[in-house]
Amino acid sequence: MSPRRPSRLTATIATLALVTALFVSVVGANPASAAATVKVTNTTSIRCAFVNYSTPTDWYVPTSGTPKGLIWLQHGFSENKGHWSTYAPKLAAAGYVVFATTLPTADLFGCTVQNIGNNRPFLDNIASMFGSAAGGSGGLVSSFNNAAARAGRSGLALPSRWAFVGHSAGGEAVAYVTNRIRTNHANAYARLGGIVLEDPVNSFIGANLSDALGGLASSNLSVLTLASPPGSCNNNQSGIALVTQRLANRSFRGAQVTTGTHIDVFGAGAGPLLRAACGTPQTKNVNAVQTLTTAWLDDQLAGTRRSAFYPGGTTYDGLVAAGTISTLP
């Protein structure tokens, strides 16, 4: 007689226990161990055509200690910085300065997060902003100094190690900016540990994501991806297809969440409108996505690769065995 299979309820409870425990261990969700943080809202000056835009910005700053790095969180089409409101504090509690911007979805000059045919000059300006920051000047540094002072941490320096996260069309934007930094801003590129793409979506116009991934494929920069199943919100995995094609030379590209939604990384921060459009994230999937994202960012910024969070490791393989994720081809 074959062994009796566990009930679906038993498997679900085991999965929830696994991902919850993993998330606590990686992010430091225990209030006793988490660093205190403060959120500051201000603006960051980013050049658009012949004017400077005052870009809405949320900073999340640890209130003590030396931050381990800077993480830029970039939303996608029709989203905003507020959608990071539950995940960003967890990253800050883990010791990172978090920089979340709201980039336009529509703009007369093409200064948008997604490509409407002419947003490359705007994304080039964002890359230049990071380039200036590596030299200690420019809009990013000014915005951070203002936030640090308002957080009670005057004199705190902008962290010297960076990592970027982009969701949906923001994944395309982050990939393009990263590749532009690679080719045009060597000092900034030396600070960059890697990027994590959250269900990236390719714009209907242009080849920003394809070109960027093609350029990054030849580098040694860590580029990792988390995907949801094909659907309208991720344009039937248009971006994921490019990741698997353009990064075919990489041994590991990331994972797909088996029953995931396009907005898992936001968790409760997604809000009712995104949930109505893309589905309500399940707790087990939110925990898995945020756990892996945080672990990968930790490694990118520290220059490490802890085996637990990749194929063959206990955490990663536990999520595979639970049916929560599968490895991208």
Side-chain angles (χ1 to χ4, degrees):
M1 180 182 294
S2 61
R4 184 177 180 181
R5 297 178 62 185
S7 70
R8 181 174 299 178
L9 177 60
T10 301
T12 300
I13 292 173
T15 300
L16 286 172
L18 170 67
V19 296
T20 300
L22 295 175
F23 188 72
V24 169
S25 68
V26 174
V27 177
N30 183 346
S33 63
T37 67
V38 62
K39 173 185 172 183
V40 175
T41 296
N42 63 7
T43 62
T44 303
S45 180
I46 301 177
R47 189 74 176 174
C48 171
F50 50 85
V51 296
N52 289 323
Y53 279 3
S54 295
T55 303
T57 302
D58 284 339
W59 290 94
Y60 297 82
V61 184
T63 57
S64 63
T66 301
K68 296 188 291 184
L70 170 71
I71 296 174
W72 171 32
L73 299 179
Q74 184 51 58
H75 66 75
F77 177 81
S78 76
E79 299 169 357
N80 62 69
K81 60 185 176 60
H83 290 124
W84 299 107
S85 62
T86 59
Y87 182 45
K90 295 172 184 176
L91 289 173
Y96 298 106
V97 170
V98 180
F99 168 65
T101 56
T102 295
L103 299 184
T105 290
D107 183 81
L108 179 64
F109 304 111
C111 298
T112 53
V113 64
Q114 83 286 358
N115 188 17
I116 55 176
N118 59 341
N119 78 332
R120 284 195 174 193
F122 179 57
L123 298 182
D124 289 345
N125 290 338
I126 295 176
S128 295
M129 177 187 71
F130 282 103
S132 296
S137 64
L140 180 64
V141 172
S142 295
S143 181
F144 170 74
N145 288 342
N146 171 269
R150 291 171 57 190
R153 303 212 60 187
S154 295
L156 183 68
L158 185 75
S160 60
R161 292 290 293 166
W162 305 341
F164 300 160
V165 179
H167 175 254
S168 193
E172 177 182 79
V174 159
Y176 180 89
V177 169
T178 299
N179 192 50
R180 194 66 170 175
I181 290 173
R182 181 184 69 86
T183 58
N184 283 28
H185 306 282
N187 289 339
Y189 186 65
R191 294 186 172 209
L192 187 58
I195 63 175
V196 179
L197 307 179
E198 305 287 351
D199 214 19
V201 174
N202 184 49
S203 293
F204 290 107
I205 299 174
N208 283 2
L209 184 57
S210 179
D211 290 349
L213 292 172
L216 294 172
S218 64
S219 74
N220 61 0
L221 188 75
S222 173
V223 180
L224 295 171
T225 302
L226 283 159
S228 67
S232 60
C233 283
N234 67 4
N235 192 21
N236 291 313
Q237 289 195 338
S238 64
I240 302 304
L242 288 174
V243 167
T244 58
Q245 293 166 13
R246 302 296 272 169
L247 298 181
N249 63 330
R250 303 288 180 99
S251 60
F252 176 61
R253 287 166 286 280
Q256 176 170 309
V257 183
T258 308
T259 59
T261 73
H262 182 57
I263 54 176
D264 284 338
V265 70
F266 293 147
L273 292 179
L274 287 184
R275 290 198 297 270
C278 301
T280 299
Q282 299 177 44
T283 299
K284 68 171 185 176
N285 295 335
V286 172
N287 287 346
V289 167
Q290 293 185 357
T291 293
L292 289 177
T293 298
T294 303
W296 293 347
L297 290 169
D298 286 342
D299 281 346
Q300 289 174 345
L301 286 159
T304 57
R305 184 181 172 92
R306 295 164 298 162
S307 61
F309 303 102
Y310 305 87
T314 54
T315 299
Y316 188 93
D317 283 2
L319 291 170
V320 172
T324 307
I325 65 170
S326 61
T327 301
L328 287 177

